[in-house]
Amino acid sequence: MNAPLARPLVFHRPGDSELARRLRGVVQGEVLFDRASRGRYSTDASIYQVEPIGVLIPRSDDDVRAAVEICRELGAPMLPRGGGSSQCGQTVGAALVIDGSKHLRNVIAFDKEAMTVTVEPGITLDALNAWLRPHGVWFAVDVSTAAQATLGGMAGNNSCGSRSIAYGNMVHNVAAAEALFADGTEGWLGPEREMQGAGERVRALMTGLRAIAERECDEIERQVPKVMRRVGGYNLDVFHPQSERPYTADGSVNYAHLLVGSEGTLAWTRTLTLKVAPLPKHRTLGVVSFPTLYKAMELTKHIVTLGPSAVELVDRTMIELARSNPSFRPTIDGALVGEPDAILLVEFTGEDGETPRRRLDDLVALMGDLGLPGQVVRMPDAGPQKALWEVRKAGLNIMMSMKGDGKPVSFIEDCAVPLDHLADYVARLTEVFERHGTRGTWYAHASVGTLHVRPVLDMRRDGAAKMRAIAEEAAAMVRQYKGAYSGEHGDGLVRTEWVGWQFGPRLTRAFEEVKALFDPDGLMNPGKIVRGTKMDDARLFRYPPGYTPLKLDTALDWSAWDVNCDPVTEAVTAPGSGNDPAKGFAKAVEMCNNNGHCRKFDAGTMCPSYRVTRNEEHLTRGRANTLRLAVSGQLGPDFASEAVREALDLCVSCKGCRRDCPTGVDMAKMKIEFAFHWQKKHGLSLKDKLVAHMPKWAPWAARFPFIANLRDALPGAARLSERIAGLSAKRTLPQWRSDTFLSSRAAQAAAVDRPDVVLWVDTFNNYHEPENAHAALRVLQAGGYRVAVARAGASDAERDRPLCCGRTYLGAGLVDEAKHEARRMVDALAPHVAAGATVVGLEPSCLLALRDEFLVMGLGDEAQHLATRALMIEEFLAREQREGRLALPLKSLPQKKVLVHGHCHQKAFDVLNPAVAVLKLIPGLQVEVIESSCCGMAGSFGYEAAHYDVSMKMAELALLPAVRAAGDDTLIVADGTSCRHQIADGTRAIRPREAVHVVRVLASALDPVA
Ligand SMILES: Cc1cc2nc3c(=O)[nH]c(=O)nc-3n(C[C@H](O)[C@H](O)[C@H](O)COP(=O)(O)OP(=O)(O)OC[C@H]3O[C@@H](n4cnc5c(N)ncnc54)[C@H](O)[C@@H]3O)c2cc1C
Ligand code: SF4
Ligand code: SF4
């Protein structure tokens, strides 16, 4: 077993417990000083890891005030934090982290006339824009992390969006700010002309700042890059504007702009007043294909003269990545002319439709004049435009999902160079990468000369040396081209060292004076922008040289992650060749790069528990970090620790992350692995045993259903079950039936020799809702298929017991028992598969286990073959229909509308669309999908007393309100057993609604006379 990593900044000083104690005494918010919480806040989207002293999640402004007071008295540093999506290490440090993103997220005031909105710092850009939309305006600094970036964080980093050429950076859009300084004083910072009434503290600041700026006037003129995208250092140039786009329209001074880009080093930002813009009424997009990347970059400067709102680059690698994805291929192919080496997405907006259309014509003409006639694809409609922007985003995500120790590293990702030099910069930097045995993919904001590129480096080995060498060469070019070394992402730990390089010793000293004016004791986010560490100080790395995970005997096969990847060719070595002592599990966990994409509340599934609690601990990122710390011994020598169990407790294994996480972090699978180690060490509770072994005792329950169902019939029995087994008394349990499907005459009769289809009926549908299985059989037979019903094989020692996927065992970590069930399934179905039959199932979490968990259980080739032929019934029917082999005799139903709730696994495996497609076969039926995350029941999760509240909150996020709003003429469809149960439970009190399996709707629409 390896020793925990030695890190220089692991703080647990004598004063820390005093800090925690005093905070707990006064604040209403959460005070987190335990090792795992500190670990979860020790990283952001950078390569660094520094353990904070502790974490405060303030519930109110008063909590922050109290914390500042206590920190000042104890001399403890403070670190403001929002979504923690910074790429440069701004939000990691040995300080008290104050995370405003959970509670401090209100809109305080909106002034439509002045076109301003005032917000608390923790609100995200998406949330703000959702609030503003009904007023016809938006906040236009459209960072690509809009779902997780908080306005406090965006101001802290002086963030910039894709449309900055039209709207500017944060600094151009912040009108005023209220600050809380480290000495406990407060002040309003805004336009100088409105600050006559400022208090003593702010007046002193104003005088001091002006004096420094006057003194350094000539040096500011000499050293501050003139490009718009300059976000490094402090904005001392507010007094002598240097940016090609002045911070204010009339060049006047706004003191709030000193806080913008200050990375939490000057003050806590209490509120921000922001300028809003009218929502563009019309957009149009022209996609220009270029024969070379060089040409694209060379001609960008001509394109921007047309006044576009965005010019975004997508290079060849990204084009190919997008084309390799079947769902993106049509979109990207439709945007290309021939086989370009790069494309530029050129967007125009306008109040009327005519202006953007004319601009698009101008673009076509311009490209002709520049020697590229016929190279523009016009996209005037919103649908294709949106699809193409999605492709661009997804391309980046695929790039980030590189397996192995080498990863694309962000450190020169946002250098900004004047457009005249963009082409040369790209060409020369590409050569630099080649010389260092790596390469980068280019994308993003060509319009403002800020191209994103991340060379692939292995920070555990020679990455640090290469990083410095590449950084130095890139910096020399940036200087030569009079660009900005930090053009979007800020300084943080990776670039504070370069502030002196960029601005020279005089301005560096001036910045230190600015810091001293605001924060004389150096308590606010120390080590950022001034007095920093070296970018390649390996002691601060998340993966320092020598980083080694613990040895772990894994239950599942993680060898697909245990590989290495060539940074240039991207060739991946054989599974299991990556030297991971945790047999690939550690490398799977390390796929989380902390980008924070899981902190979202949009239409996707990920992450239901975070959506309810808003706690980092209950976020996919928080869980991945907890596992990473545990598997590398940083939470102690024991992997199966309580800290990990707690972090995973509210994970409903929905697999939302498997689909929505850009790097495919599959927490549901990781939870199985952890549960295996946990139960080995700690054993199982009665409830876990009861649920896990259900496939074994189900036949007995079906034989004596009146006894098995007593829990819900006998007064007091439910409460007793809560006390003894932890099953919530507020829940009814699924009822056991003696008329199981497998014992029915229909099932017995369905025994054909060479079936086209084998209907496998899972434990839940067999014992609790056999009508679903009957409906499936009827539909398949009506489709003209020869159907067999899956049963245990002849050599199976438990021949009479129905087949089961083992899902309940997996949930409890009983992987060996689950493997036994899986083996029975594979053995029973292999002959059918070999004969070419398709296996269809009804319950998403059970059937899809055949395509997922079965493949990491070491079940061999037969399991692989089975996976290729295992389909949800709707997938099978939709496929047959598409290929012209299905003609179900369907008549219209009395109900004209159906609302579909997708089971999480259905969504994770993209199986919801087939359900919609088959429902649309019913004449006159209008099909609508509920934009819901997990229903909250998630197998046995919602039945547990400890999870009941969270479970109901998950359901109330979107699902139950949508169901309640549905009229009586609307059918509710849900394929998941537990989803149906949750809908029944959640609507029982007022207007009970029953959800049905999709196959029941199809069966009821079968025309008996056809
Ligand atoms: C995949 C990816 C894509 C990205 N795309 C973009 C992009 O398009 N454009 C862009 O500009 N950036 C981008 N970023 C960087 C990052 O998302 C942005 O800088 C974002 O605005 C940070 O917001 P946050 O809430 O996560 O802030 P955090 O990272 O939490 O904090 C940022 C800084 O603000 C300070 N801060 C936070 N709250 C306060 C407060 N209340 N008072 C004082 N200081 C505070 C912090 O101390 C820190 O220094 C991207 C990052 C990733 C991982
Ligand atoms: S789990 Fe995925 S989405 Fe969340 S931070 Fe990690 S990589 Fe990003
Ligand atoms: S499986 Fe679901 S609940 Fe668990 S981390 Fe992933 S998205 Fe969140």
Side-chain angles (χ1 to χ4, degrees):
M1 201 153 278
N2 320 71
L5 288 168
R7 291 189 181 276
L9 296 176
V10 177
F11 268 60
H12 215 66
R13 310 164 311 171
D16 295 348
S17 47
E18 168 74 355
L19 177 60
R21 192 186 59 74
R22 289 197 46 195
L23 285 171
R24 286 197 181 105
V26 289
V27 301
Q28 290 185 316
E30 292 115 285
V31 177
L32 310 171
F33 273 59
D34 60 287
R35 205 167 174 185
S37 296
R38 285 188 286 129
R40 281 187 283 269
Y41 278 88
S42 65
T43 46
D44 54 12
S46 69
I47 52 171
Y48 299 104
Q49 176 177 329
V50 182
E51 196 172 335
I53 299 171
V55 181
L56 169 68
I57 320 279
R59 193 166 278 278
S60 65
D61 223 19
D62 285 345
D63 278 359
V64 184
R65 272 193 207 95
V68 168
E69 181 77 26
I70 295 169
C71 283
R72 186 167 50 83
E73 280 176 35
L74 297 178
M78 291 163 270
L79 201 175
R81 175 159 161 143
S85 67
S86 290
Q87 294 198 10
C88 302
Q90 288 92 321
T91 41
V92 297
L96 175 74
V97 172
I98 306 178
D99 174 356
S101 67
K102 182 170 175 182
H103 298 296
L104 308 181
R105 51 189 174 85
N106 292 306
V107 174
I108 298 170
F110 173 57
D111 186 339
K112 180 94 190 250
E113 218 164 281
M115 292 291 273
T116 58
V117 64
T118 302
V119 297
E120 289 185 322
I123 188 170
T124 61
L125 178 60
D126 268 358
L128 174 61
N129 277 332
W131 193 95
L132 290 172
R133 199 168 300 123
H135 302 281
V137 298
W138 70 316
F139 185 64
V141 183
D142 56 339
V143 292
S144 52
T145 41
Q148 38 284 151
T150 61
L151 268 301
M154 287 172 64
N157 284 350
N158 193 2
S159 295
C160 334
S162 295
R163 296 176 175 90
S164 63
I165 189 171
Y167 297 99
N169 310 350
M170 277 305 278
V171 71
H172 302 101
N173 290 279
V174 169
E178 285 181 284
L180 170 61
F181 304 107
D183 63 4
T185 57
E186 293 175 25
W188 182 86
L189 302 176
E192 190 169 37
R193 58 180 173 272
E194 295 174 30
M195 293 186 65
Q196 294 88 349
E200 195 186 328
R201 172 75 164 98
V202 172
R203 274 209 314 280
L205 263 184
M206 291 166 69
T207 318
L209 287 168
R210 193 169 265 289
I212 300 170
E214 294 298 340
R215 192 190 70 213
E216 301 298 343
C217 184
D218 57 332
E219 190 67 354
I220 290 173
E221 175 79 36
R222 251 194 312 274
Q223 297 283 8
V224 176
K226 313 293 180 239
V227 290
M228 185 182 91
R229 289 297 202 101
R230 190 276 304 158
V231 304
Y234 293 125
N235 294 330
L236 206 44
D237 60 330
V238 290
F239 300 96
H240 307 287
Q242 299 300 310
S243 170
E244 59 191 341
R245 184 189 182 107
Y247 296 162
T248 53
D250 57 1
S252 60
V253 175
N254 184 318
Y255 280 91
H257 294 167
L258 262 306
L259 285 187
V260 178
S262 67
E263 303 185 359
T265 61
L266 301 183
W268 167 266
T269 305
R270 294 178 53 226
T271 69
L272 285 160
T273 299
L274 307 163
K275 296 181 197 165
V276 297
L279 272 169
K281 291 211 173 69
H282 299 274
R283 287 184 203 276
T284 188
L285 192 65
V287 186
V288 192
S289 291
F290 292 89
T292 60
L293 175 61
Y294 190 89
K295 198 79 185 160
M297 296 299 87
E298 196 183 36
L299 300 188
T300 300
K301 58 178 179 281
H302 300 290
I303 294 173
V304 298
T305 60
L306 300 175
S309 48
V311 182
E312 294 280 297
L313 167 72
V314 177
D315 80 352
R316 179 88 224 150
T317 311
M318 282 222 181
I319 292 172
E320 285 311 323
L321 287 171
R323 293 178 96 187
S324 64
N325 181 324
S327 58
F328 290 141
R329 193 176 179 120
T331 307
I332 189 79
D333 281 350
L336 306 179
V337 180
E339 294 284 326
D341 210 36
I343 55 174
L344 287 177
L345 279 57
V346 187
E347 184 193 76
F348 300 100
T349 56
E351 278 299 288
D352 58 280
E354 187 48 32
T355 312
R357 246 195 321 275
R358 256 201 333 264
R359 293 261 166 82
L360 192 51
D361 291 341
D362 294 345
L363 176 69
V364 174
L366 176 72
M367 295 323 295
D369 293 348
L370 293 171
L372 291 174
Q375 296 302 301
V376 182
V377 172
R378 292 167 187 262
M379 287 200 179
D381 299 328
Q385 288 175 22
K386 188 164 176 283
L388 194 59
W389 286 117
E390 290 298 323
V391 168
R392 204 218 88 174
K393 270 206 242 164
L396 166 64
N397 293 343
I398 302 170
M399 183 185 89
M400 290 306 298
S401 60
M402 181 180 260
K403 288 176 179 166
D405 292 348
K407 301 282 181 202
V409 175
S410 165
F411 63 103
I412 47 160
E413 167 161 286
D414 56 330
C415 298
V417 297
L419 294 187
D420 280 340
H421 305 294
L422 199 55
D424 285 345
Y425 171 70
V426 170
R428 287 174 61 193
L429 198 54
T430 302
E431 278 170 30
V432 172
F433 292 158
E434 276 168 21
R435 250 187 293 115
H436 292 285
T438 184
R439 79 186 174 98
T441 293
W442 296 88
Y443 66 99
H445 322 304
S447 56
V448 284
T450 306
L451 295 179
H452 289 335
V453 64
R454 295 182 177 199
V456 176
L457 299 176
D458 182 350
M459 301 313 287
R460 300 166 213 220
R461 294 177 184 87
D462 56 357
K466 285 187 177 173
M467 177 167 77
R468 175 157 297 279
I470 294 171
E472 280 172 0
E473 294 197 48
M477 280 180 237
V478 169
R479 169 155 292 159
Q480 184 193 340
Y481 297 137
K482 295 190 171 27
Y485 191 55
S486 174
E488 180 169 304
H489 294 148
D491 294 325
L493 290 171
V494 81
R495 270 192 304 229
T496 292
E497 173 194 350
W498 295 86
V499 168
W501 171 91
Q502 175 88 77
F503 297 95
R506 256 177 71 187
L507 284 189
T508 304
R509 268 195 307 280
F511 289 160
E512 286 170 9
E513 288 176 61
V514 171
K515 167 84 175 168
L517 270 177
F518 279 86
D519 175 26
D521 297 327
L523 292 181
M524 297 301 300
N525 202 4
K528 319 290 155 53
I529 302 184
V530 293
R531 301 192 194 98
T533 40
K534 291 278 179 202
M535 73 186 298
D536 49 358
D537 184 341
R539 296 170 308 164
L540 309 183
F541 288 172
R542 200 186 314 165
Y543 301 111
Y547 177 96
T548 320
L550 301 175
K551 196 170 168 318
L552 204 65
D553 272 327
T554 56
L556 301 178
D557 176 7
W558 298 92
S559 61
W561 282 266
D562 192 12
V563 294
N564 276 311
C565 183
D566 186 290
V568 179
T569 63
E570 287 188 18
V572 177
T573 59
S577 61
N579 292 326
D580 181 355
K583 294 188 174 170
F585 178 73
K587 284 194 197 292
V589 168
E590 290 163 14
M591 290 303 291
C592 172
N593 62 14
N594 273 262
N595 62 52
H597 185 65
C598 35
R599 293 172 64 96
K600 65 191 188 74
F601 293 84
D602 62 9
T605 305
M606 169 175 78
C607 170
S609 42
Y610 173 73
R611 285 170 195 243
V612 169
T613 70
R614 288 182 185 260
N615 289 337
E616 184 71 25
E617 181 185 14
H618 302 134
L619 181 66
T620 317
R621 176 176 75 178
R623 292 178 176 130
N625 274 327
T626 313
L627 282 168
R628 179 178 55 77
L629 294 166
V631 80
S632 55
Q634 294 180 76
L635 293 181
D638 182 12
F639 171 64
S641 68
E642 178 60 25
V644 182
R645 195 203 62 75
E646 274 177 20
L648 293 177
D649 184 42
L650 297 189
C651 169
V652 287
S653 299
C654 67
K655 295 184 193 269
C657 44
R658 182 188 187 277
R659 188 191 67 161
D660 296 352
C661 162
T663 64
V665 168
D666 186 349
M667 194 51 64
K669 207 174 278 168
M670 291 172 188
K671 189 174 176 179
I672 295 171
E673 184 66 51
F674 176 76
F676 168 78
H677 295 275
W678 175 267
Q679 60 83 19
K680 279 255 179 263
K681 180 153 191 248
H682 302 275
L684 288 179
S685 67
L686 174 61
K687 181 255 324 164
D688 287 340
K689 283 183 195 152
L690 271 175
V691 175
H693 292 288
M694 185 196 276
K696 284 270 166 73
W697 56 261
W700 295 99
R703 208 165 295 165
F704 308 107
F706 50 96
I707 299 178
N709 294 331
L710 269 184
R711 184 266 189 198
D712 285 346
L714 214 61
R719 268 203 306 282
L720 196 66
S721 80
E722 177 163 326
R723 220 168 319 131
I724 299 175
L727 294 168
S728 171
K730 294 183 187 135
R731 294 280 189 197
T732 56
L733 297 182
Q735 293 296 290
W736 292 97
R737 303 258 295 260
S738 54
D739 58 337
T740 64
F741 172 73
L742 290 173
S743 64
S744 71
R745 205 167 308 146
Q748 312 278 355
V752 293
D753 272 347
R754 291 187 63 82
D756 308 310
V757 182
V758 179
L759 174 63
W760 167 56
V761 180
D762 56 277
T763 305
F764 307 102
N765 280 302
N766 180 45
Y767 291 104
H768 300 305
E769 292 180 84
E771 24 311 284
N772 294 341
H774 286 293
L777 190 56
R778 274 208 310 283
V779 169
L780 289 168
Q781 287 171 339
Y785 298 100
R786 293 162 53 79
V787 187
V789 171
R791 291 183 188 275
S795 59
D796 193 323
E798 299 171 277
R799 231 192 127 185
D800 293 336
R801 188 162 66 81
L803 293 171
C804 168
C805 67
R807 165 75 56 207
T808 58
Y809 287 118
L810 286 175
L814 296 174
V815 178
D816 293 337
E817 289 79 349
K819 280 184 189 170
H820 172 72
E821 297 298 325
R823 169 55 58 207
R824 293 178 67 224
M825 287 274 291
V826 173
D827 288 349
L829 295 172
H832 292 302
V833 169
T838 303
V839 175
V840 302
L842 301 171
E843 175 63 30
S845 60
C846 298
L847 184 280
L848 294 169
L850 276 62
R851 306 213 303 239
D852 193 7
E853 284 86 355
F854 274 32
L855 304 183
V856 290
M857 289 190 190
L859 299 172
D861 288 348
E862 285 180 338
Q864 301 283 345
H865 294 148
L866 173 58
T868 62
R869 302 201 73 93
L871 297 178
M872 286 293 292
I873 188 161
E874 56 264 37
E875 272 183 298
F876 171 74
L877 295 172
R879 183 191 76 186
E880 295 293 290
Q881 165 76 20
R882 238 182 6 255
E883 294 177 6
R885 292 193 290 262
L886 178 71
L888 280 178
L890 295 170
K891 61 177 173 38
S892 58
L893 292 170
Q895 298 89 344
K896 294 294 165 236
K897 199 172 162 194
V898 59
L899 265 188
V900 186
H901 163 71
H903 182 284
C904 295
H905 294 186
Q906 254 178 318
K907 288 185 257 184
F909 286 84
D910 224 359
V911 182
L912 191 54
N913 285 335
V916 172
V918 295
L919 285 168
K920 283 187 174 165
L921 297 178
I922 298 173
L925 194 63
Q926 190 193 331
V927 187
E928 199 182 303
V929 174
I930 304 174
E931 295 266 332
S932 49
S933 177
C934 178
C935 74
M937 195 63 111
S940 67
F941 179 89
Y943 290 102
E944 296 166 25
H947 295 151
Y948 177 80
D949 286 343
V950 169
S951 162
M952 292 315 294
K953 279 185 190 156
M954 285 182 190
E956 291 293 352
L957 284 174
L959 172 61
L960 290 178
V963 169
R964 286 191 200 108
D968 288 333
D969 62 340
T970 302
L971 285 165
I972 311 290
V973 162
D975 276 4
T977 304
S978 50
C979 312
R980 291 192 292 273
H981 209 97
Q982 182 77 314
I983 290 168
D985 274 8
T987 56
R988 183 168 297 124
I990 298 171
R991 188 164 66 99
R993 296 300 312 248
E994 189 200 358
V996 292
H997 194 286
V998 67
V999 83
R1000 295 269 297 281
V1001 183
L1002 288 175
S1004 62
L1006 281 178
D1007 192 342
V1009 293

